[in-house]
Each structure stands twice: as structure tokens, then as C-alpha cells.
Amino acid sequence: CQILRSAASWSIGYEPNHCERSVHTAYLELIRSAKKFIYIENQFFISMTTDSMHIINNEIANEIYKRIEVAVKNK
């Protein structure tokens, strides 16, 4: 699957404070439904953990982490 999106108030008329989340939602759904591998290329993708509890601050990175846990459990 390939996702491309370029949308803003200047291009398709969104209100200035509109939060368009369709690509984010698609990322999460595709990660959850992955069967063999996940490959994400995005110059804005970044995440980190905080403290020793390994809390992941990026929802997409957190979903990848959860999907890896499922894959390991299912061998």
C-alpha cells in the first residue's frame, strides 16, 4: 500500500484550524493489519521513549511496537 497526501487550506479549502487525520488513521490501520512486514518511509516520522517505563510518545511508533509484540507472541 502506498499513501500520499498533500492537503491544506491553500490547496483544497480546509479551515485554518482543521486537523486532517486520514493518513494518520490509515497508517494505524495498515500497521494493525500487516501480515508479513511493515515499511514506512516518511521524513517527518520520529519517536522516542521517556524514562525507564518505555512509554512511546508517537502513536504510530506505539502501534508498530504493539504489532511486533503480537508477531512475537504468534511466532
Side-chain angles (χ1 to χ4, degrees):
C1 176
Q2 182 175 358
I3 302 172
L4 300 169
R5 174 66 153 221
S6 182
S9 58
W10 61 267
S11 63
I12 62 173
Y14 279 145
E15 296 295 321
N17 293 327
H18 177 79
C19 183
E20 210 298 309
R21 297 180 54 89
S22 63
V23 171
H24 183 262
T25 302
Y27 271 136
L28 298 177
E29 184 56 36
L30 292 168
I31 291 165
R32 289 179 191 128
S33 63
K35 302 289 185 213
K36 295 192 182 262
F37 66 90
I38 298 169
Y39 174 84
I40 296 175
E41 184 175 321
N42 182 328
Q43 70 270 31
F44 302 111
F45 184 72
I46 187 169
S47 190
M48 59 182 265
T49 60
T50 56
D51 63 47
S52 61
M53 295 179 63
H54 303 292
I55 297 169
I56 300 172
N57 296 318
N58 179 308
E59 191 176 3
I60 293 172
N62 191 52
E63 203 61 45
I64 291 171
Y65 176 81
K66 292 187 323 189
R67 185 60 186 93
I68 291 169
E69 284 185 321
V70 168
V72 169
K73 180 181 173 187
N74 294 334
K75 299 185 192 267

